[in-house]
């Protein structure tokens, strides 16, 4: 795949760190990587956005933001409150295609979940992925409640005619509880797709050199990693 969208079953579940891990694994294999953040919300002009954070952790990627809105809200609402134009699905698909022409891999990290509104017309990341004809990697939580949100996201992907290579647990606890341990087995069934990675919690706080060295061991070969899952 040359373009891969990254979404989540919610917010603050490890999408950016997962994107950085996939980018780092690709860079380690000698591939050129671009990271596209269509709508960055919740940061001001002088703060670090998600694309820049991926670059810090993963290494020399091409980091691109299409729009930035200061309020930590859904992109459509944040754009409206800021008095700025929203980013629509066609703009996202065209930007991804342009980057794909000069990079081996383009990672498009969404904001929030798959069906978060991008504009007043109700377009979502699913619409952008469909226009881009790109698969969607889903980042999920580890613990109780994740099976339902994962199954709902998988249902939405199928409804929109989108393919998914699989799922990644975005933050695996150092001391997993019973639900988390059982979910490693149950999540692929809920998703209807394989488990392709488990990112240890706190990975984003690692020094970049340590992050880059470890990232391939968190992912299966389907995402450029080197390790099977526990």
């Amino acid at each position: 795949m040359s373009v891969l969208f990254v979404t989540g079953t919610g917010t603050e579940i490890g999408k950016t760190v997962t994107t950085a891990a996939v980018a780092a694994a690709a860079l380690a294999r000698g591939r050129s990587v671009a990271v596209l953040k269509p709508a960055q919300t919740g940061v001001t002009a002088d703060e670090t956005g998600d694309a820049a954070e991926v670059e810090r952790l993963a290494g020399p990627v091409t980091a691109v933001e299409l729009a930035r809105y200061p309020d930590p809200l859904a992109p459509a609402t944040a754009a409206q409150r800021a008095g700025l134009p929203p980013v629509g699905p066609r703009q996202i698909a065209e930007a991804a295609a342009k980057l794909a022409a000069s990079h081996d891999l383009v990672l498009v990290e969404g904001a929030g979940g798959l069906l978060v509104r991008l504009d007043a017309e109700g377009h979502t990341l699913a619409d952008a992925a469909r226009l881009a004809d790109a698969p969607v990697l889903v980042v999920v939580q580890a613990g109780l409640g994740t099976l339902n949100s994962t199954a709902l996201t998988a249902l939405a992907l199928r409804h929109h005619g989108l393919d998914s290579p699989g799922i990644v647990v975005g933050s695996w606890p150092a001391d997993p509880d019973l639900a988390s341990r059982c979910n490693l087995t149950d999540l692929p069934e809920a998703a209807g797709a394989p488990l392709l990675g488990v990112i240890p919690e706190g990975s984003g706080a690692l020094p970049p050199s340590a992050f880059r060295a470890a990232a391939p061991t968190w992912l299966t070969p389907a995402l450029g990693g080197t390790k099977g899952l526990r």
Side-chain angles (χ1 to χ4, degrees):
M1 65 194 80
S2 59
V3 178
L4 177 64
F5 279 61
V6 182
T7 192
T9 55
T11 190
E12 300 298 326
I13 60 170
K15 287 194 306 296
T16 299
V17 174
T18 298
T19 301
V22 176
L27 290 169
R29 299 178 66 180
R31 305 184 73 194
S32 58
V33 180
V35 176
L36 174 63
K37 183 73 176 184
Q40 176 66 66
T41 64
V43 296
T44 60
D46 58 349
E47 292 179 315
T48 299
D50 292 341
E53 178 65 5
V54 172
E55 183 178 16
R56 183 187 73 83
L57 288 170
V61 304
T62 301
V64 177
E65 255 184 34
L66 297 184
R68 176 175 287 215
Y69 311 114
D71 289 330
L73 302 168
T77 305
Q80 182 182 43
R81 284 182 54 84
L84 296 170
V87 177
R90 187 164 300 279
Q91 186 180 353
I92 297 169
E94 289 175 350
K98 183 177 180 180
L99 289 168
S102 56
H103 295 81
D104 298 320
L105 176 64
V106 179
L107 299 170
V108 183
E109 185 192 343
L114 181 69
L115 299 184
V116 170
R117 289 163 59 94
L118 295 172
D119 55 27
E121 287 72 41
H123 293 123
T124 68
L125 192 72
D127 297 307
R130 187 168 52 192
L131 282 175
D133 194 22
V136 182
L137 180 69
V138 181
V139 182
V140 304
Q141 293 173 304
L144 197 64
T146 192
L147 298 179
N148 182 67
S149 58
T150 299
L152 287 172
T153 299
L155 180 64
L157 286 168
R158 293 193 295 271
H159 175 75
H160 286 83
L162 296 169
D163 293 326
S164 175
I167 57 175
V168 172
V169 176
S171 181
W172 180 252
D175 184 19
D177 59 13
L178 177 62
S180 296
R181 296 195 303 272
C182 290
N183 285 341
L184 282 185
T185 299
D186 295 339
L187 275 165
E189 183 176 356
L195 180 62
L196 301 181
V198 175
I199 312 296
E201 67 179 353
S203 296
L206 291 171
S209 59
F211 183 94
R212 296 166 195 173
T217 71
W218 304 330
L219 306 171
T220 69
L223 288 179
T226 61
K227 184 180 178 182
L229 297 176
R230 68 192 73 184

